[in-house]
Amino acid sequence: MNDVRLLDSALVPEAALARFGQDHPAAGGIASFVGKVRPDDGVEALELSHYPPLTLPGMVALATQALARWPLDGLLIHHRVGIMQPGEPIVLVAAAARHRRDAFEAAEFAMDHLKSDAWFWKRELRAGTWHWIEPRAHDHADLKRWK
Amino acid sequence: MNDVRLLDSALVPEAALARFGQDHPAAGGIASFVGKVRPDDGVEALELSHYPPLTLPGMVALATQALARWPLDGLLIHHRVGIMQPGEPIVLVAAAARHRRDAFEAAEFAMDHLKSDAWFWKRELRAGTWHWIEPRAHDHADLKRWK
Amino acid sequence: MSIKLVFLGKLADLAGVSEREVDAPLDWGSLTEELDGALGDAVACGKIKVAVNGTVIPENSALAASDGDEVALLPPVSGG
Amino acid sequence: MSIKLVFLGKLADLAGVSEREVDAPLDWGSLTEELDGALGDAVACGKIKVAVNGTVIPENSALAASDGDEVALLPPVSGG
């Protein structure tokens, strides 16, 4: 029902979405989101690290929560770890549902939690130096929508 | 910037999304929605008709409206006309933006308007007979969100 | 001296054709007289909008089409 | 008689390694004594969470790890 993965090599959203659509032929709609490394701000590379005992289990729990909250046919969460170049996909979320509002909400819910409530640590390479990315106040505002 | 089309043959969401992503390399995220003919309710086929002097111009105006309302890198609206089988994609909407909230909202805005405020007439084939689909009260509630 | 009437959605079913030529000029009164039976009823009572040459007119009663115009009869669009 | 300490995110940079063995048993007091310099400061003051064998403990002060345990030090996750 759910398809939750950590990937240490290229994430190809189109291929994953095509498969997800085939896996849920009865869903009236699929809402999805692809997040990419922004090719601006002088960022030369992004590295995501994770902690295996927590990160994937946390993502699986997130998917289970979404499925309990909205009537979904299925939820897909694919997240990269490792070093990525500007323009590369970092995350793909897709929600299949009978009604489009449910699909949209579940996909946004998953994205908001992945962005600020999942066990990932990020650093950016700028001008040849790695910089760790701190939490942002804005992320917590995003999470409050779902309380 | 915008890519708005009426298609009278198969819509392949994955291919269109891959192209859209390439067209907007600087967008941090792309939110999208695919709506399909639901393979249930005994529906054997769905036919969408349109009126060329109004339908595509209305979709183009919708995209322009979305671009004026959210800071988007681009908006894609591909909509089928003609006869479709259960499981076939009817519509694809995708919004590319720097911030994911803008992308999600613009995609939902476009879907809500396409579903109830665009010049399409639909009929379903059930048990060998075509039935025209009437407007639904729920659609107007969906539109009110955006007033 | 003719006008092209275009029937959309279920009106095309009721008319049996998707378009028909009618004599110019045409106003809302002569249009509803022109169309009889179930088609006439649907147009008169059915929340129909009217487009002239690709522009929806604000009030059906303001219809004033002349030779060469295309008049489209648009039933409410289908829900999602 | 040892415990595996795992450093995540910027703590791995400060520690210079991603993991280190320390003597069992380990509580929050002996852990903060064990880590010195910038690493010690970051752990003591930095809103760190602690996981023992893959489960985050509710209060760092309740840390009580014994031989064979894996103790992970988790700085705040990065924003989106």
Side-chain angles (χ1 to χ4, degrees):
Chain A
M1 193 118 158
N2 290 342
D3 174 6
V4 181
R5 303 186 203 184
L6 273 180
L7 306 170
D8 55 14
S9 59
L11 163 56
V12 184
E14 300 76 31
L17 280 175
R19 231 177 300 116
F20 186 66
Q22 287 161 12
D23 289 349
H24 300 287
I30 294 178
S32 67
F33 184 83
V34 179
K36 297 188 283 187
V37 184
R38 279 194 214 111
D40 54 16
D41 304 333
V43 173
E44 292 146 22
L46 179 73
E47 186 183 35
L48 261 85
S49 52
H50 72 300
Y51 180 50
L54 289 179
T55 309
L56 187 59
M59 290 163 61
V60 169
L62 175 62
T64 304
Q65 233 183 309
L67 238 87
R69 187 156 172 177
W70 290 277
L72 303 179
D73 288 346
L75 187 71
L76 173 150
I77 302 176
H78 287 187
H79 209 296
R80 275 294 311 273
V81 290
I83 294 184
M84 284 154 277
Q85 305 306 312
E88 266 195 90
I90 306 169
V91 59
L92 169 67
V93 161
R98 185 174 173 85
H99 298 292
R100 71 177 179 282
R101 189 77 60 222
D102 296 327
F104 271 114
E105 286 190 2
E108 272 201 273
F109 171 86
M111 278 307 306
D112 281 349
H113 285 79
L114 285 169
K115 281 289 188 175
S116 54
D117 193 29
W119 296 108
F120 292 106
W121 296 273
K122 301 177 198 169
R123 53 179 194 168
E124 292 174 345
L125 187 62
R126 280 185 264 122
T129 309
W130 286 103
H131 301 268
W132 288 100
I133 304 176
E134 300 294 328
R136 301 180 319 163
H138 192 262
D139 294 323
H140 296 281
D142 286 346
L143 284 186
K144 273 208 190 124
R145 301 175 69 203
W146 308 107
K147 297 294 180 201
Chain B
M1 193 118 156
N2 291 340
D3 174 6
V4 182
R5 303 186 203 186
L6 274 180
L7 305 169
D8 56 12
S9 60
L11 164 57
V12 184
E14 299 76 30
L17 280 175
R19 232 177 301 117
F20 186 67
Q22 285 161 11
D23 289 348
H24 299 287
I30 293 178
S32 67
F33 183 82
V34 179
K36 296 189 285 186
V37 184
R38 279 192 213 112
D40 54 14
D41 304 332
V43 173
E44 293 146 20
L46 178 73
E47 186 184 34
L48 261 86
S49 50
H50 72 300
Y51 179 50
L54 289 179
T55 310
L56 186 59
M59 290 162 61
V60 169
L62 176 63
T64 304
Q65 233 183 309
L67 239 87
R69 187 155 172 177
W70 289 277
L72 303 179
D73 288 345
L75 187 71
L76 173 151
I77 302 176
H78 287 187
H79 208 295
R80 273 296 310 274
V81 292
I83 295 183
M84 284 153 276
Q85 306 305 313
E88 267 194 89
I90 305 169
V91 59
L92 168 68
V93 160
R98 185 173 171 87
H99 298 292
R100 70 179 180 281
R101 189 78 61 222
D102 295 327
F104 271 114
E105 286 190 1
E108 272 202 273
F109 170 87
M111 278 306 306
D112 281 348
H113 284 79
L114 286 170
K115 282 290 188 173
S116 55
D117 193 29
W119 295 108
F120 292 108
W121 296 272
K122 300 177 197 168
R123 53 181 194 168
E124 292 175 345
L125 187 63
R126 280 185 264 121
T129 309
W130 286 103
H131 301 268
W132 288 100
I133 304 177
E134 300 293 329
R136 302 180 320 162
H138 193 263
D139 293 322
H140 296 281
D142 285 347
L143 284 187
K144 276 210 190 119
R145 304 175 67 203
W146 308 107
K147 299 293 181 200
Chain C
M1 298 294 282
S2 75
I3 285 167
K4 192 208 276 187
L5 265 189
V6 180
F7 303 104
L8 277 304
K10 66 180 173 189
L11 298 182
D13 272 5
L14 296 173
V17 292
S18 60
E19 47 186 74
R20 177 200 294 184
E21 301 284 319
V22 295
D23 289 342
L26 188 74
D27 63 15
W28 184 246
S30 56
L31 173 66
T32 49
E33 260 170 55
E34 175 78 29
L35 307 171
D36 44 24
L39 176 61
D41 292 348
V43 170
C45 318
K47 297 182 186 168
I48 300 300
K49 291 196 176 179
V50 178
V52 178
N53 299 328
T55 302
V56 179
I57 60 176
E59 285 291 333
N60 295 351
S61 59
L63 175 63
S66 49
D67 188 37
D69 284 349
E70 176 167 315
V71 174
L73 301 177
L74 314 158
V77 298
S78 303
Chain D
M1 296 298 282
S2 76
I3 285 167
K4 191 208 279 186
L5 265 189
V6 180
F7 303 103
L8 277 304
K10 67 181 173 188
L11 298 183
D13 272 6
L14 295 172
V17 291
S18 60
E19 46 187 75
R20 176 200 297 183
E21 301 283 318
V22 295
D23 287 342
L26 187 74
D27 62 17
W28 184 244
S30 56
L31 172 66
T32 49
E33 262 170 53
E34 177 76 32
L35 308 172
D36 43 27
L39 176 62
D41 293 347
V43 170
C45 319
K47 297 181 185 168
I48 300 301
K49 292 195 175 181
V50 177
V52 178
N53 299 327
T55 301
V56 179
I57 60 175
E59 284 291 333
N60 294 351
S61 59
L63 174 65
S66 50
D67 188 35
D69 284 347
E70 176 168 315
V71 174
L73 301 178
L74 314 159
V77 297
S78 303

